[in-house]
Structures are given as structure tokens and as C-alpha cells.
Amino acid sequence: TKKDAPSNPLFSFVVSSKVARSAVDRNLLKRRGYSTIRKILNDVVAQNYFYAFFFKKGSATPSFKETEEEIIFLLKKSGALLN
């Protein structure tokens, strides 16, 4: 049988070992992403979607604030988040 589409949006954060060598650093980035989503989940208007975020290689690990601002910016740009 087919599974019904989820009623809430699903989020995933992908961090390659090329981005952060240490598993601790990769998990830190993922935890920061999921923490941001928990804060804004009620404001996501596009339901029944799957959102995947891929961290790109950068010069340093971004701060929590930088990660949060980037995720919110991307969701607003896609129209999935109001204000």
C-alpha cells in the first residue's frame, strides 16, 4: 500500500566529510540546523514538502547565528516561510 504524504514538512541536513572531517563537527552543524527548524516550524506555510539542506565547504565552521540566518533566508526565498 502507498504511504500517505506527511502532514508536516520534513527537514534534512547533509554534511559531507569533505565539509567537516570530524564527525563531531558534522553533527554540530546538523544539530544547529535542526534547532533552527524547531524554532520556526510553526511559521512554515508550505506543508507536505521535504526540505534538504546541504552544507558547503567553507573557510570555517559557521556560528549558530550565521547558520540560523542562512536557513531562515533560504526558506523565505523559497516561499516556504512567512516573515
Side-chain angles (χ1 to χ4, degrees):
T1 63
K2 281 187 173 182
K3 289 187 176 183
D4 294 331
S7 60
N8 292 323
L10 299 175
F11 295 88
S12 178
F13 292 90
V14 180
V15 185
S16 167
S17 61
K18 292 180 181 180
V19 173
R21 285 267 180 231
S22 168
V24 173
D25 293 336
R26 290 193 301 272
N27 291 336
L28 175 68
L29 291 171
K30 291 177 189 179
R31 284 195 311 269
R32 287 177 176 175
Y34 288 119
S35 177
T36 299
I37 296 303
R38 275 192 294 277
K39 287 182 182 179
I40 63 169
L41 187 59
N42 292 332
D43 296 332
V44 176
V45 294
Q47 301 293 318
N48 300 327
Y49 283 95
F50 180 79
Y51 299 94
F53 293 89
F54 293 85
F55 285 87
K56 295 176 93 176
K57 191 171 186 174
S59 59
T61 303
S63 69
F64 179 77
K65 182 129 178 92
E66 291 171 334
T67 303
E68 184 177 50
E69 288 171 353
E70 188 69 21
I71 291 169
I72 291 171
F73 169 77
L74 291 170
L75 288 172
K76 284 181 181 178
K77 187 175 180 181
S78 71
L81 187 66
L82 294 178
N83 295 334

